[in-house]
Amino acid sequence: MYQLIQFKTPSILFGMDTINQIGQEAKKLGAGRVLLVTGPRVKAAGILEKALSFLKGDSLSVEVAVEDRDTPEPATTVVEEVAEIARKGNFDVIIGLGGGSILDVAKMASALLTNPGKTADYFGKEKVPKRGKPTIIVPTTAGTGAEVTKHAIFLDRESNVKKAVASTNLLPDVAIVDPMLTVSCPPPVTASAGIDAFLHAAEPFLSKMANPITDAMSLEAISITSRWLGPAFADGQDLDARYYMSLGSVMSGIVLNNSGTSLVHAMAYPVGGEYHTPHGVTLSALVVACFDYIRVSKQEKMVRLARAMGEPVDGLPPREASARALDAVRHLIQSVGLPASLRDLKITDTGKIPRWAVEAHQEQRLLSRSPRNLSVEDIQKIYEKAF
Ligand SMILES: [Fe+2]
């Protein structure tokens, strides 16, 4: 009843063409010398050139160096290399411009400039003692929420499992969210990132850590992402769809940062680590089985979730109304060409389930927020159901 609520967010600049503020924002943070970390798709789409023109504006006198990294699944080694470059070049502001993986590299590299050791030393909850050098985080996809969260996810090569650094000191200083930067994002990435955004609102909404502030934002983000993901997937040039998906994504990122994800994300880590499937794709294959499992403990919220997704649930008995939420989620996933089960994902080997269940169960940082208690055997049953 008397819940402690903490609410944290970076300074956010959201809107069409806000990328033109990037130089001014860098200047406000004390640049100087800026290291911009980005990836090949950003360069190819002309986004890098656009960002550089606003960073190097005549009156700003900002020096910029670009690190262009191909990191679909960032290894911790890339973070350490970027941090070393930043240290040697004495850069005072780090900018991440790209998809979630690039943004995580930029956030973590900044932290390694003021904290000793390597990324692996900071896996887990609140282990980064000091804030890094100032960061500006600029997403070019709508979904990960990395621009407003304290998380950075990496593939740990030793265990082949994705692991998270979750530390308030990783929260960016400034998030610049410009929907125009997502227009060139291809349909499969739009779909995968978009489902991630949807789940960053829906999963925390059903978790133990939900609170009235994040619930309000969750419901609006659920409504926006479920309404606009289809149009953004079908026509990338649909600016309304891009605008609302970016808005839904930043809102769900704020929810994620303040109430956290749970079971679906925990169960996705071992599968994604093993098959190297994109994050949103892996989540899609597991979410219906997970939500079905927790439905018994969150029926009233499932009804609200269904309503936010546009399902006509008024007057239905709660059991039927909450089942509509599962149908709506499955339909949303399938409508954008994503797998609604592990079998859809072309994974047929059930022999790995016992190991996955043990690994997912170790993600207590996430599972402690689950509304229904989960043993290793329970998680095993959910994996079986997800087939
Ligand atoms: Fe996610």
Side-chain angles (χ1 to χ4, degrees), residues 62-285:
V62 171
E63 276 183 63
V64 189
V66 176
E67 264 307 295
D68 177 352
R69 296 284 168 154
D70 191 6
T71 54
E73 260 185 349
T76 52
T77 46
V78 178
V79 179
E80 278 117 40
E81 283 164 29
V82 171
E84 190 53 28
I85 291 162
R87 198 174 292 119
K88 280 188 181 152
N90 204 17
F91 292 98
D92 34 39
V93 172
I94 310 293
I95 295 180
L97 173 69
S101 303
I102 287 287
L103 304 183
D104 286 355
V105 167
K107 284 159 70 173
M108 194 64 217
S110 140
L112 289 186
L113 294 175
T114 55
N115 294 283
K118 296 184 165 188
T119 308
D121 302 333
Y122 300 107
F123 283 137
K125 204 172 166 183
E126 299 300 345
K127 294 201 173 144
V128 179
K130 283 190 206 156
R131 282 192 67 74
K133 290 273 174 111
T135 49
I136 301 177
I137 299 297
V138 190
T140 57
T141 61
T144 70
E147 68 279 9
V148 287
T149 70
K150 60 187 174 188
H151 311 102
I153 318 286
F154 302 99
L155 184 68
D156 183 35
R157 295 263 182 228
E158 272 169 40
S159 58
N160 217 22
V161 173
K162 288 191 176 178
K163 291 188 177 171
V165 178
S167 200
T168 305
N169 281 331
L170 226 56
L171 199 65
D173 290 272
V174 176
I176 297 181
V177 185
D178 179 352
M180 292 304 284
L181 305 186
T182 68
V183 170
S184 60
C185 186
V189 182
T190 300
S192 169
I195 284 294
D196 195 24
F198 169 78
L199 282 176
H200 292 163
E203 231 201 325
F205 181 68
L206 301 169
S207 94
K208 265 190 203 165
M209 292 296 289
N211 66 60
I213 299 175
T214 54
D215 278 359
M217 216 176 273
S218 285
L219 285 171
E220 189 64 13
I222 287 165
S223 168
I224 290 173
T225 51
S226 58
R227 158 80 178 80
W228 290 101
L229 178 56
F233 170 76
D235 177 7
Q237 300 292 322
D238 181 337
L239 296 188
D240 284 354
R242 293 301 196 181
Y243 179 91
Y244 283 110
M245 280 309 294
S246 286
L247 183 61
S249 174
V250 78
M251 289 170 76
S252 66
I254 295 169
V255 172
L256 161 68
N257 194 49
N258 289 286
S259 288
T261 55
S262 177
L263 174 62
V264 193
H265 275 71
M267 286 182 60
Y269 283 162
V271 182
E274 179 130 15
Y275 288 95
H276 307 283
T277 42
H279 178 59
V281 174
T282 325
L283 296 170
S284 297

